[in-house]
Amino acid sequence: MNTLGINAAFHDSSAVLVQDGHVVAASEEERFTRIKHAKRPVPFTAWELPFHAIDDCLRQGGIELSDIDHVAYSFDPRRFMGPRAAGETITLPLEPSARPADGWESVWDPLFASYIINAPRQLASGAPHHLRQRFRNVRPDGPYRFHFIDHHLCHQASAFLASPFAQCAVMTLDGRGEDASTTYGVYYEGQYEALGDVRVPHSLGLLYEQVTQYLGFLHSSDEYKVMALAALGNPARYHGVLSQSICVHEAGRYEIAPLDLAECFGPPRQRGEPLEQRHFDLTAALQTVLEETVLEIAAWLRSASGQPLLAMAGGVALNCVMNARLRDSGIFDQVWVQPAAGDSGTALGAALWVDSRMRRSTASESPVVASTEETVYFDGGPMSLGERRWTMSHAYLGPQYSDDEIEQQLRWSKLDYVRLSDVAATTARLLAAGKVIGWFQGRMEFGPRALGARSILASPLEASMQARINELKDREDFRPVAPAVQQEQLAQWFRPATANNGQAPFMLFVYDVEETQARRIPAACHEDLTARVQTVSADTNPLFHAVLEQFGQMTGVPVLINTSFNVRGEPIVCSPKDALNAFWSTPLDALVIGSFLLEKPVRPGMQESA
C-alpha cells in the first residue's frame, strides 16, 4: 500500500511516501524551487502544491502518482470552516480587504478554504509541464482516495508514530492549525487517545511570532534568531509583563491576553536597525515565560496521560532551549522531538496516520476510514491503529546523488577536481588545517537542520571561527554555531550526557559544555557556555562519524562545527549544482562532494585561510 502525505496549507510545503508502514522518502519543496520555506503562509498561496517534492518521493519509491492508494493532506478545510461549510458556495467580494470579514476570522478565509478544498483537482491537473510524467493517468477522484486530516492530528501522529517509544504522552505546540494551537494526546497499546487542546487565538507559537515581527525579523521564519538573542538579555526586566499576559488553567488549557508590544516595550525595531538592550531583555523574558508555561502544561500532561515518556512536534518544539529545560525538569523520563517538527512534518504525520488506519482497517472486518475526500479530525478516543513497522532513527530521507551523477556535473561545469581514496581522512586533514568545508554526502536531511549530509563543517578550536562562519553565511553576528560529536564521546564534552539515553541525533536540545572542555572548543560555545549538540552515530551516518573520529585523532578534539550548507535567505543545498553554486559564491575553502574534492586556488594577493 502506497500512501502519499502532503503539507501545503501554510508554509514549509513537503511530501512523504509511506509504503506498507515504512517511510520511503520525505522531501521539502524549498529544496527544489530554491524559495525559502517554499512559500509564505498567506491565503493567496494555499493552492500551491509541492509538486517537486511529490515527484521526488515518487521517483525514490519507483512509482507514479497513479500507483498511490491514499493521499493524505495535512489540513481539514471542513473543520476550519465549521458551520460555514454547510453550503456548497462561498462569497468573495472583488475587494475583500475593503469589506468586513462577515463571520470569518479574516476576509481572505473563504479563498483560503476554497483553495484547499480544491487540492484534489490541483493535484490531478496542476503539475508543471516538466514533471508531468509521474502525474499521468489520474483524476480528481483517483484512482487513489484523498483524505483531509486535521493539522494538529498530523503533528501528533508525526511524533508518536515516528518516535522510539512503544507508548508515550504526546504534546504538539504550533502557531495554529484549523482552530487549535496546542494539542495533547496519549499513545498506548496500539491506540491513540486525544486528551485536549488549546484553541486560537491563544497560542504560544503566535506570541513568539508576534515578538519576532516586532523585533524586525520575518515571522514564521526567524523565530530561531529570537531564541539565540535570549542568551544575551536579562529576563527579569520584562518577565512580569509577559507572564501576566498568560494564564494557565486546568486540563492543560491556557489563555493569552492581547498584548500591545509597542506600548509595553517601545517602538518596534525595523529590519537592519541596531539591536538594543531592551530587545535582548524582551527575548530573554519571552523565552523564560515560554519555558515556564510549557513546564506547567507538561506537568499536567504527565499526570493526565500516566506516561513517563513524551513525544513532541509542532513548530514551537524546534525551540531547543525550551526542549532542554523540559528534558532536565524531570517531568518525563525521556523527551523525543520529531526532527521535522514544523509544518513540513505534518506530511509525515498525515501519511503515517492514514497508512496505520488503513492497515488496521484491512485487518478488521469493518472499515475505519471513509471514502474519497474524507475529512478526519479526532477529539476523543481511543482509536486503534495498525502495527508499528518503522521508527525515525535518522532524518536522511531526501534525494541523493551517485558519484556518476556528481562527476557528470563536475565535468559539464569544466571544474578541476580530485577523486579521493579516503574521504574521511582527507576531510579531517583539511579541517585540522583550519579550512571551512562544504560537505555534500548521501541522502538529504528532512527538516530544517543540517545533520551531516548537506553541511558546512569547520574546526571549533579557534574562537574566531564562529565569526568567520557567520561572515561566510552572511548571518547576524550574534548567531551561534552548533557542534557535532561522536555519540560515544558525548559524556566527555557535554552534560547532561545520560539524558535521553545519551542521544541527540537531531540537534534539538542544548547542553552545557563541560567547563574543563569549553576552552578547547570556543567557537562552538554560546555566550552562556551552552551548545546545541548533535550526536553522530556510526550506524546512521558512518562517513560523518569517521570524519569526527579522524579529526579527533589529529587534534584530540572529536568535535566539529556543523551548520547548514546555505547562505542567509536560501534553502539548504539539495543538488550537486546547488552545492557548486554555493561553493563558488562564498569564501568556502573546499567542497567534499561524494568521493570528490574541489579546492579553491590561492591567488596572488590572497592569504591562505588560517
Side-chain angles (χ1 to χ4, degrees):
M1 182 173 65
N2 295 313
T3 303
L4 176 68
I6 297 175
N7 166 60
F10 297 118
H11 60 162
D12 294 329
S13 306
S14 59
V16 171
L17 177 62
V18 174
Q19 294 181 329
D20 296 323
H22 298 272
V23 175
V24 172
S27 298
E28 297 177 68
E29 186 73 358
E30 67 162 23
R31 310 291 164 84
F32 304 94
T33 64
R34 312 307 300 157
I35 299 172
K36 189 75 171 175
H37 301 297
K39 59 182 181 178
R40 292 296 295 155
V42 294
F44 319 108
T45 63
W47 64 272
E48 298 179 26
L49 295 182
F51 284 111
H52 296 83
I54 294 170
D55 181 71
D56 180 67
C57 289
L58 296 174
R59 179 190 60 80
Q60 291 196 58
I63 61 175
E64 296 185 1
L65 186 59
S66 58
D67 298 313
I68 293 292
D69 299 291
H70 299 277
V71 176
Y73 187 103
S74 64
F75 193 89
D76 175 7
R78 300 293 179 182
R79 178 163 192 167
F80 172 75
M81 295 172 70
R84 297 163 300 204
E88 295 299 323
T89 62
I90 60 171
T91 300
L92 184 69
L94 286 176
E95 298 181 348
S97 59
R99 303 169 67 93
D102 193 23
W104 296 87
E105 183 179 336
S106 164
V107 294
W108 298 104
D109 282 351
L111 178 67
F112 173 74
S114 178
Y115 277 156
I116 294 177
I117 287 173
N118 283 280
R121 295 166 180 82
Q122 174 71 351
L123 179 62
S125 60
H129 185 269
H130 66 287
L131 298 180
R132 287 183 183 172
Q133 181 175 352
R134 293 190 178 91
F135 291 79
R136 300 172 299 180
N137 304 318
V138 299
R139 307 176 307 277
D141 61 347
Y144 43 74
R145 290 162 61 181
F146 200 102
H147 312 268
F148 290 109
I149 313 296
D150 177 81
H151 187 74
H152 264 270
L153 177 58
C154 294
H155 273 309
Q156 291 260 312
S158 78
F160 71 81
L161 288 178
S163 81
F165 306 142
Q167 52 188 38
C168 59
V170 194
M171 179 166 64
T172 60
L173 303 159
D174 201 13
R176 67 163 301 158
E178 296 84 355
D179 55 9
S181 67
T182 302
T183 51
Y184 312 103
V186 58
Y187 175 65
Y188 63 99
E189 297 179 354
Q191 299 178 318
Y192 169 75
E193 182 175 358
L195 296 179
D197 62 22
V198 177
R199 303 292 173 95
V200 291
H202 308 293
S203 168
L204 292 169
L206 292 181
L207 175 62
Y208 219 93
E209 287 188 15
Q210 183 185 1
V211 174
T212 300
Q213 188 168 16
Y214 169 82
L215 292 171
F217 299 118
L218 183 63
H219 74 86
S220 302
S221 176
D222 292 344
E223 284 71 24
Y224 60 95
K225 298 180 183 180
V226 175
M227 182 187 70
L229 282 172
L232 306 178
N234 177 9
R237 182 177 178 183
Y238 296 128
H239 181 274
V241 177
L242 287 176
S243 63
Q244 289 173 15
S245 70
I246 302 176
C247 182
V248 179
H249 302 292
E250 296 179 352
R253 294 179 298 109
Y254 60 83
E255 293 181 340
I256 302 179
L259 201 59
D260 187 328
L261 298 181
E263 181 178 322
C264 295
F265 311 114
R269 172 183 176 266
Q270 300 303 311
R271 182 178 183 271
E273 289 184 350
L275 287 160
E276 304 172 8
Q277 189 60 45
R278 66 186 177 99
H279 300 137
F280 302 144
D281 294 343
L282 174 58
T283 60
L286 174 68
Q287 181 66 33
T288 299
V289 169
L290 170 68
E291 294 167 13
E292 292 170 348
T293 305
V294 169
L295 290 182
E296 279 196 68
I297 59 180
W300 167 80
L301 178 59
R302 174 67 175 85
S303 175
S305 67
Q307 296 293 329
L309 308 176
L310 175 66
M312 293 177 63
V316 179
L318 291 171
N319 190 305
C320 57
V321 179
M322 178 198 77
N323 294 342
R325 187 165 178 189
L326 179 56
R327 174 201 63 196
D328 298 341
S329 69
I331 295 172
F332 291 94
D333 294 347
Q334 291 184 49
V335 179
W336 186 86
V337 182
Q338 191 264 107
D343 277 1
S344 63
T346 62
L348 174 67
L352 287 173
W353 176 265
V354 169
D355 167 84
S356 184
R357 292 288 290 154
M358 290 309 303
R359 286 189 291 106
R360 173 68 178 175
S361 177
T362 302
S364 64
E365 295 182 1
S366 58
V368 297
V369 180
S371 60
T372 300
E373 295 193 32
E374 172 203 32
T375 297
V376 176
Y377 57 88
F378 185 56
D379 290 322
M383 183 175 283
S384 297
L385 299 168
E387 176 190 6
R388 286 273 308 273
R389 296 176 177 176
W390 177 82
T391 297
M392 196 172 194
S393 59
H394 63 80
Y396 310 114
L397 298 167
Q400 65 179 334
Y401 298 86
S402 67
D403 274 354
D404 287 344
E405 291 172 305
I406 293 170
E407 189 168 27
Q408 182 180 13
Q409 179 68 55
L410 296 176
R411 287 178 173 174
W412 184 83
S413 302
K414 298 182 178 180
L415 297 174
D416 294 329
Y417 62 91
V418 175
R419 181 185 285 270
L420 301 176
S421 59
D422 191 333
V423 172
T426 301
T427 302
R429 281 196 297 270
L430 290 168
L431 292 166
K435 304 287 188 180
V436 180
I437 294 178
W439 177 255
F440 184 105
Q441 302 292 335
R443 296 184 72 179
M444 187 172 191
E445 301 93 339
F446 181 55
R449 305 283 186 251
L451 301 171
R454 304 291 188 274
S455 293
I456 291 175
L457 304 180
S459 166
L461 304 182
E462 299 293 333
S464 59
M465 185 59 78
Q466 185 242 356
R468 186 175 163 193
I469 294 292
N470 282 339
E471 189 274 333
L472 183 152
K473 297 189 66 175
D474 191 26
R475 305 195 314 182
E476 296 86 352
D477 293 340
F478 63 82
R479 298 274 298 279
V481 291
V485 62
Q486 289 175 290
Q487 182 173 307
E488 60 270 25
Q489 294 283 347
L490 178 67
Q492 307 302 316
W493 295 87
F494 306 99
R495 63 178 192 274
T498 59
N500 292 335
N501 285 336
Q503 299 178 22
F506 305 128
M507 208 180 276
L508 286 170
F509 295 87
V510 296
Y511 288 74
D512 293 320
V513 183
E514 286 287 351
E515 294 181 9
T516 57
Q517 303 284 33
R519 60 180 176 80
R520 303 178 67 190
I521 54 170
C525 299
H526 202 10
E527 294 281 344
D528 54 1
L529 293 185
T530 62
R532 177 165 53 94
V533 176
Q534 177 197 2
T535 57
V536 181
S537 166
D539 293 332
T540 57
N541 195 333
L543 185 57
F544 189 25
H545 185 273
V547 173
L548 286 161
E549 184 172 7
Q550 295 271 359
F551 184 80
Q553 291 174 0
M554 295 174 188
T555 66
V557 177
V559 179
L560 287 170
I561 290 172
N562 174 20
T563 187
S564 56
F565 194 171
N566 66 328
V567 294
R568 182 165 62 172
E570 293 187 6
I572 302 174
V573 302
C574 178
S575 68
K577 184 177 181 180
D578 298 335
L580 292 173
N581 288 340
F583 175 59
W584 290 109
S585 61
T586 64
L588 281 168
D589 297 308
L591 172 64
V592 180
I593 178 168
S595 296
F596 307 102
L597 169 66
L598 288 78
E599 291 187 270
K600 291 175 181 173
V602 178
R603 304 187 185 282
M606 293 177 58
Q607 290 186 349
E608 192 166 356
S609 301

